[in-house]
PDB file of all heavy atoms in Angstrom:
ATOM      1  N   GLY E  23      68.271 110.378  59.090  1.00 43.00           N
ATOM      2  CA  GLY E  23      67.510 109.140  59.302  1.00 43.00           C
ATOM      3  C   GLY E  23      66.114 109.197  58.792  1.00 43.00           C
ATOM      4  O   GLY E  23      65.432 108.199  58.745  1.00 43.00           O
ATOM      5  N   ALA E  24      65.609 110.370  58.310  1.00 45.00           N
ATOM      6  CA  ALA E  24      64.286 110.521  57.883  1.00 45.00           C
ATOM      7  C   ALA E  24      64.105 110.347  56.431  1.00 45.00           C
ATOM      8  O   ALA E  24      63.019 110.501  55.880  1.00 45.00           O
ATOM      9  CB  ALA E  24      63.696 111.911  58.370  1.00 45.00           C
ATOM     10  N   GLN E  25      65.176 110.089  55.625  1.00 50.00           N
ATOM     11  CA  GLN E  25      65.072 109.951  54.174  1.00 50.00           C
ATOM     12  C   GLN E  25      64.473 108.646  53.753  1.00 50.00           C
ATOM     13  O   GLN E  25      64.678 107.591  54.352  1.00 50.00           O
ATOM     14  CB  GLN E  25      66.459 110.116  53.567  1.00 50.00           C
ATOM     15  CG  GLN E  25      67.235 111.311  54.096  1.00 50.00           C
ATOM     16  CD  GLN E  25      66.499 112.673  53.825  1.00 50.00           C
ATOM     17  OE1 GLN E  25      65.800 112.767  52.823  1.00 50.00           O
ATOM     18  NE2 GLN E  25      66.532 113.562  54.740  1.00 50.00           N
ATOM     19  N   GLN E  26      63.697 108.694  52.680  1.00 77.00           N
ATOM     20  CA  GLN E  26      63.101 107.449  52.146  1.00 77.00           C
ATOM     21  C   GLN E  26      63.917 107.019  50.867  1.00 77.00           C
ATOM     22  O   GLN E  26      63.782 105.843  50.529  1.00 77.00           O
ATOM     23  CB  GLN E  26      61.657 107.740  51.766  1.00 77.00           C
ATOM     24  CG  GLN E  26      60.794 108.134  52.993  1.00 77.00           C
ATOM     25  CD  GLN E  26      59.379 108.449  52.571  1.00 77.00           C
ATOM     26  OE1 GLN E  26      59.049 108.447  51.407  1.00 77.00           O
ATOM     27  NE2 GLN E  26      58.542 108.747  53.578  1.00 77.00           N
ATOM     28  N   ASN E  27      64.561 107.853  50.243  1.00 89.00           N
ATOM     29  CA  ASN E  27      65.304 107.562  49.036  1.00 89.00           C
ATOM     30  C   ASN E  27      66.769 108.141  49.125  1.00 89.00           C
ATOM     31  O   ASN E  27      66.998 108.992  49.988  1.00 89.00           O
ATOM     32  CB  ASN E  27      64.579 108.111  47.768  1.00 89.00           C
ATOM     33  CG  ASN E  27      64.972 107.354  46.490  1.00 89.00           C
ATOM     34  OD1 ASN E  27      65.869 106.533  46.515  1.00 89.00           O
ATOM     35  ND2 ASN E  27      64.253 107.621  45.452  1.00 89.00           N
ATOM     36  N   SER E  28      67.636 107.750  48.267  1.00 90.00           N
ATOM     37  CA  SER E  28      68.976 108.268  48.314  1.00 90.00           C
ATOM     38  C   SER E  28      69.633 108.102  46.958  1.00 90.00           C
ATOM     39  O   SER E  28      69.266 107.250  46.196  1.00 90.00           O
ATOM     40  CB  SER E  28      69.821 107.576  49.381  1.00 90.00           C
ATOM     41  OG  SER E  28      70.009 106.178  49.032  1.00 90.00           O
ATOM     42  N   ILE E  29      70.609 109.007  46.608  1.00 91.00           N
ATOM     43  CA  ILE E  29      71.361 108.882  45.464  1.00 91.00           C
ATOM     44  C   ILE E  29      72.597 107.959  45.656  1.00 91.00           C
ATOM     45  O   ILE E  29      73.366 108.250  46.596  1.00 91.00           O
ATOM     46  CB  ILE E  29      71.890 110.315  44.980  1.00 91.00           C
ATOM     47  CG1 ILE E  29      70.668 111.223  44.688  1.00 91.00           C
ATOM     48  CG2 ILE E  29      72.804 110.229  43.845  1.00 91.00           C
ATOM     49  CD1 ILE E  29      71.055 112.654  44.407  1.00 91.00           C
ATOM     50  N   GLU E  30      72.658 106.912  44.863  1.00 91.00           N
ATOM     51  CA  GLU E  30      73.629 105.866  45.119  1.00 91.00           C
ATOM     52  C   GLU E  30      74.895 105.999  44.223  1.00 91.00           C
ATOM     53  O   GLU E  30      76.009 105.698  44.662  1.00 91.00           O
ATOM     54  CB  GLU E  30      73.052 104.457  44.932  1.00 91.00           C
ATOM     55  CG  GLU E  30      71.815 104.195  45.825  1.00 91.00           C
ATOM     56  CD  GLU E  30      72.175 104.081  47.238  1.00 91.00           C
ATOM     57  OE1 GLU E  30      73.311 103.742  47.555  1.00 91.00           O
ATOM     58  OE2 GLU E  30      71.346 104.467  48.118  1.00 91.00           O
ATOM     59  N   ALA E  31      74.728 106.442  42.989  1.00 90.00           N
ATOM     60  CA  ALA E  31      75.864 106.577  42.074  1.00 90.00           C
ATOM     61  C   ALA E  31      75.610 107.588  41.052  1.00 90.00           C
ATOM     62  O   ALA E  31      74.434 107.923  40.695  1.00 90.00           O
ATOM     63  CB  ALA E  31      76.106 105.160  41.462  1.00 90.00           C
ATOM     64  N   LEU E  32      76.747 108.094  40.417  1.00 90.00           N
ATOM     65  CA  LEU E  32      76.658 109.121  39.359  1.00 90.00           C
ATOM     66  C   LEU E  32      77.580 108.605  38.276  1.00 90.00           C
ATOM     67  O   LEU E  32      78.777 108.251  38.489  1.00 90.00           O
ATOM     68  CB  LEU E  32      77.079 110.516  39.804  1.00 90.00           C
ATOM     69  CG  LEU E  32      76.182 111.232  40.846  1.00 90.00           C
ATOM     70  CD1 LEU E  32      76.867 112.450  41.297  1.00 90.00           C
ATOM     71  CD2 LEU E  32      74.793 111.477  40.233  1.00 90.00           C
ATOM     72  N   ASN E  33      77.083 108.609  37.019  1.00 90.00           N
ATOM     73  CA  ASN E  33      77.916 108.160  35.806  1.00 90.00           C
ATOM     74  C   ASN E  33      77.698 109.156  34.732  1.00 90.00           C
ATOM     75  O   ASN E  33      76.554 109.616  34.518  1.00 90.00           O
ATOM     76  CB  ASN E  33      77.556 106.737  35.340  1.00 90.00           C
ATOM     77  CG  ASN E  33      77.839 105.718  36.476  1.00 90.00           C
ATOM     78  OD1 ASN E  33      79.021 105.409  36.705  1.00 90.00           O
ATOM     79  ND2 ASN E  33      76.819 105.180  37.060  1.00 90.00           N
ATOM     80  N   VAL E  34      78.794 109.500  34.006  1.00 90.00           N
ATOM     81  CA  VAL E  34      78.727 110.497  32.938  1.00 90.00           C
ATOM     82  C   VAL E  34      79.295 109.815  31.604  1.00 90.00           C
ATOM     83  O   VAL E  34      80.360 109.188  31.659  1.00 90.00           O
ATOM     84  CB  VAL E  34      79.485 111.775  33.283  1.00 90.00           C
ATOM     85  CG1 VAL E  34      79.397 112.726  32.169  1.00 90.00           C
ATOM     86  CG2 VAL E  34      78.930 112.348  34.570  1.00 90.00           C
ATOM     87  N   ALA E  35      78.597 110.053  30.539  1.00 88.00           N
ATOM     88  CA  ALA E  35      79.116 109.579  29.223  1.00 88.00           C
ATOM     89  C   ALA E  35      78.827 110.610  28.161  1.00 88.00           C
ATOM     90  O   ALA E  35      77.860 111.354  28.313  1.00 88.00           O
ATOM     91  CB  ALA E  35      78.445 108.227  28.893  1.00 88.00           C
TER      92      ALA E  35
END
Side-chain angles (χ1 to χ4, degrees):
Q25 310 302 324
Q26 299 178 358
N27 203 351
S28 64
I29 298 177
E30 302 294 330
L32 295 174
N33 296 288
V34 180

